[in-house]
Amino acid sequence: MKLKLYYSDGGKHPVLGQIYHQRQEFSGDLEVARYQRYLANTLTSIAQNIEDCDRILSKINIFEEGKMKTLEVEGNDVDVFISNGFVQININVNDDWVDQEEGRFSLEEFKAVLSAWRKFLSLPESLSSEITAEL
């Protein structure tokens, strides 16, 4: 499974100038839609900036050290629950996307996606800015 993070052309605004849209796309095996919905499409809801990424990654480190038994990350209409064995991502705007098995991922996958997102957010807004992460 591969995650590509990049900017697309959003056109020119008369006051702001060039506009760029953040894009997150998974490609790879048959579960692309699941990874796209629950991991890629929720990134901007749980980690809007580098500081959010750092805060979540820091909490994950504390969790991994055994100092916490569970961890909850609240976002905009998205909740992430981390416990032993898996990460559960719930998209609260649709009851069919809450507590579903397809919203479960390994902690390693979640950390890899969040770390790639953090790295992407540190790049300048440009059509040449791109990050690819392998899961």
Side-chain angles (χ1 to χ4, degrees):
M1 187 70 66
K2 185 186 292 187
L3 172 63
K4 180 180 171 184
L5 303 166
Y6 63 98
Y7 288 102
S8 65
D9 187 347
K12 296 235 187 243
H13 186 275
V15 175
L16 301 175
Q18 180 64 47
I19 303 293
Y20 297 98
H21 295 291
Q22 296 171 333
R23 301 288 185 203
Q24 311 86 15
E25 291 181 6
F26 270 100
S27 61
D29 67 25
L30 299 175
E31 293 188 291
V32 168
R34 176 174 90 89
Y35 278 78
Q36 188 67 40
R37 176 180 296 133
Y38 286 95
L39 279 176
N41 293 350
T42 62
L43 283 172
T44 58
S45 296
I46 61 169
Q48 297 176 0
N49 53 49
I50 292 171
E51 292 78 20
D52 290 343
C53 294
D54 288 342
R55 178 180 47 79
I56 296 166
L57 289 168
S58 176
K59 286 182 177 183
I60 289 172
N61 285 338
I62 293 168
F63 172 81
E64 289 181 316
E65 292 170 357
K67 296 177 183 174
M68 301 170 76
K69 293 185 188 223
T70 60
L71 172 60
E72 180 179 356
V73 177
E74 294 181 0
N76 297 328
D77 295 322
V78 174
D79 294 319
V80 179
F81 298 96
I82 300 172
S83 62
N84 288 334
F86 65 90
V87 173
Q88 175 69 48
I89 300 174
N90 293 330
I91 303 172
N92 299 322
V93 296
N94 186 332
D95 288 342
D96 292 337
W97 295 340
V98 174
D99 293 328
Q100 298 300 315
E101 191 156 332
E102 67 178 13
R104 289 185 184 167
F105 300 91
S106 72
L107 183 56
E108 291 75 26
E109 289 174 314
F110 182 72
K111 280 176 44 177
V113 168
L114 191 59
S115 296
W117 180 243
R118 186 201 183 287
K119 189 174 181 180
F120 174 71
L121 291 174
S122 70
L123 298 176
E125 288 187 11
S126 164
L127 296 177
S128 64
S129 292
E130 180 178 308
I131 297 289
T132 303
E134 294 280 340
L135 298 186

